[in-house]
C-alpha cells in the first residue's frame, strides 16, 4: 500500500495513554476553583464529548478503507484515543450528576445537533469533524500553554483535562489528513468552499450551544439572567479569555495551505508527558481498536 505525503511530522507517533481519573473520591460540585461559571463551561463541554467523539470516530472511519498505510495507522490510533476519552468523560459526567447536576438536556441537545448531519453525505460529516477537531486542538493548545485556565481546579479533574488536551494535540492532523485524501480529486476552490462553510456552521453552533449549556448549568446553581451572562462572557472572552485567545488560530483555518501541523506544538506534549510521569498512577497499555 502506498503512503501519503503530508505536513504531519513523519516521526509523530500517536500514542494512546490509558489513564483513569477521579474514581477514588467524589468530585466536588464546583470543582473549578469553586467558580460557578468556570465549572459550568467545562461541564458543558464534557457533557457533549461522549456523543461528539463517537460521531468523530464514525465520520473518519468511513474513509479508512483504501487509505494509504500511514493514514490508516493514524486513524486507528485516533479511534483508540477518542474511545478512551469518551470513557473518561462519561465517568466524569456521572460524577457531575452525582454532585447534583442534570446534564440530560445538554446531552439531548448534542444528540439532536449531530442527528441532523447524519442525513448528509459522509464527506460533510468528515468536514464537520475536521472543523471540530481544529477547535478541540486549539482549545487544547491554550489549556496546556497557559496554566491560568485550570488555576484553582480540583487536581484530579485538572489532570483529566490536561490528559485529554495532550491527546487532542497529538491527533489533531488525523481528520484533516483523512479529508485531504478523501478529496484528492477535488479542485482547491471546492475544497476550500466546503471546508470554510462547515467551519462557519460548526462555529456558530458551538458558540450558541456551549453558551446555552453553560447558562443552564449556572441556572442549576441559582445564577441566572444578566449576572449569569456577564460572568460567563467575562470568563470566556476576557479573563482568562479562552475564546478570545483561540481567535487567531481559528482564523488560520481559512488560509490557503492551512494544515493543523503547520504549527508544531509537540513541546506541549513533551511537557505534559514529563509531568504525568511524576504522577502516582501507572501507565497501562491500551488495547488498540481494530
Ligand atoms: Fe477527544
Ligand atoms: Fe479529537
Amino acid at each position: 500500500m502506498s503512503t501519503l505525503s503530508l505536513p504531519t511530522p513523519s516521526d509523530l507517533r500517536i500514542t494512546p495513554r490509558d489513564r483513569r481519573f477521579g474514581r477514588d473520591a467524589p468530585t466536588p460540585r464546583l470543582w473549578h476553583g469553586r467558580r460557578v461559571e468556570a465549572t459550568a463551561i467545562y461541564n458543558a463541554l464534557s457533557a457533549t464529548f461522549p456523543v461528539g467523539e463517537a460521531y468523530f470516530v464514525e465520520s473518519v472511519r468511513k474513509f479508512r478503507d483504501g487509505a494509504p498505510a500511514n493514514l490508516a495507522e493514524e486513524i486507528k490510533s485516533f479511534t483508540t484515543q477518542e474511545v478512551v476519552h469518551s470513557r473518561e468523560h462519561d465517568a466524569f459526567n456521572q460524577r457531575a450528576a452525582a454532585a447534583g447536576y442534570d446534564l440530560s438536556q445538554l446531552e439531548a441537545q448534542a444528540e439532536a445537533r449531530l442527528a441532523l448531519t447524519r442525513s448528509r453525505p459522509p464527506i460533510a460529516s468528515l468536514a464537520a469533524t475536521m472543523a471540530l477537531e481544529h477547535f478541540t486542538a486549539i482549545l487544547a493548545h491554550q489549556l496546556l500553554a497557559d496554566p491560568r485556565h485550570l488555576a484553582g481546579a480540583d487536581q484530579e479533574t485538572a489532570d483529566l483535562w490536561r490528559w485529554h488536551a495532550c491527546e487532542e494535540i497529538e491527533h489533531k492532523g488525523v481528520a484533516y489528513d483523512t479529508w485531504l485524501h478523501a478529496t484528492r480529486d477535488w479542485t482547491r476552490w471546492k475544497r476550500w468552499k466546503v471546508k470554510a462553510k462547515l467551519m462557519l456552521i460548526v462555529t456558530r453552533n458551538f458558540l450558541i450551544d456551549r453558551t446555552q449549556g453553560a447558562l443552564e448549568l449556572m441556572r442549576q446553581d441559582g445564577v441566572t439572567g444578566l449576572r449569569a451572562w456577564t460572568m460567563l462572557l467575562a470568563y470566556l472572552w476576557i479573563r482568562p479569555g479562552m475564546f478570545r485567545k483561540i481567535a487567531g488560530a481559528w482564523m488560520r483555518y481559512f488560509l490557503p495551505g492551512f494544515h493543523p501541523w503547520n504549527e508544531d506544538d509537540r513541546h506541549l506534549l513533551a511537557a505534559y508527558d514529563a509531568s504525568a510521569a511524576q504522577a502516582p498512577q501507572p501507565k497501562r497499555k491500551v488495547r488498540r481498536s481494530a
Side-chain angles (χ1 to χ4, degrees), residues 190-208:
K190 186 179 175 191
R191 262 182 173 167
W192 187 86
K193 202 173 56 171
V194 174
K195 182 185 113 162
K197 185 178 166 193
L198 265 296
M199 181 49 119
L200 291 174
I201 295 171
V202 155
T203 300
R204 183 196 62 195
N205 295 346
F206 180 88
L207 293 179
I208 294 173

Side-chain angles (χ1 to χ4, degrees), residues 112-270:
R113 247 331 157 204
L114 297 177
L116 284 176
T117 75
R118 287 204 170 91
S119 57
R120 302 276 164 90
I123 198 71
S125 297
L126 181 62
T129 296
M130 177 171 80
L132 283 162
E133 281 284 289
H134 180 59
F135 242 110
T136 319
I138 61 182
L139 288 166
H141 177 104
Q142 255 307 309
L143 200 77
L144 291 183
D146 187 345
R148 281 174 293 187
H149 294 296
L150 287 170
D154 166 64
Q155 183 65 48
E156 190 78 1
T157 312
D159 286 347
L160 162 69
W161 285 94
R162 286 195 198 98
W163 161 80
H164 193 168
C166 164
E167 296 201 336
E168 287 304 323
I169 292 174
E170 196 170 55
H171 73 226
K172 67 178 178 175
V174 177
Y176 209 89
D177 290 346
T178 307
W179 159 265
L180 289 178
H181 179 67
T183 61
R184 61 196 177 283
D185 297 330
W186 291 20
T187 62
R188 283 166 67 91
W189 166 241
K190 186 179 175 191
R191 262 182 173 167
W192 187 86
K193 202 173 56 171
V194 174
K195 182 185 113 162
K197 185 178 166 193
L198 265 296
M199 181 49 119
L200 291 174
I201 295 171
V202 155
T203 300
R204 183 196 62 195
N205 295 346
F206 180 88
L207 293 179
I208 294 173
D209 295 353
R210 293 305 85 74
T211 302
Q212 274 180 356
L215 287 170
E216 162 59 18
L217 296 180
M218 292 175 77
R219 188 193 62 75
Q220 295 181 23
D221 277 317
V223 181
T224 57
L226 187 61
R227 182 162 168 252
W229 275 99
T230 310
M231 284 167 68
L232 183 63
L233 293 182
Y235 183 77
L236 291 175
W237 294 95
I238 300 173
R239 204 166 62 179
M242 173 67 92
F243 285 3
R244 172 174 51 84
K245 287 177 176 165
I246 63 169
W250 178 85
M251 279 190 268
R252 284 197 282 280
Y253 191 78
F254 297 92
L255 294 176
F258 168 83
H259 186 279
W261 282 110
N262 288 352
E263 176 167 18
D264 188 346
D265 47 2
R266 282 179 292 168
H267 62 284
L268 294 172
L269 307 187

Side-chain angles (χ1 to χ4, degrees), residues 83-100:
V83 167
V84 182
H85 299 168
S86 289
R87 182 194 75 199
E88 287 310 299
H89 278 276
D90 199 37
F92 172 79
N93 295 344
Q94 287 178 35
R95 293 197 296 282

Side-chain angles (χ1 to χ4, degrees), residues 20-32:
R20 287 175 183 267
F21 302 89
R23 301 299 206 283
D24 300 331
T27 300
R29 180 174 171 117
L30 294 177
W31 62 266
H32 202 317

Side-chain angles (χ1 to χ4, degrees), residues 51 106-116 118:
V51 51
L106 282 70
E107 289 162 349
Q109 212 272 346
E111 289 271 13
R113 247 331 157 204
L114 297 177
L116 284 176
R118 287 204 170 91

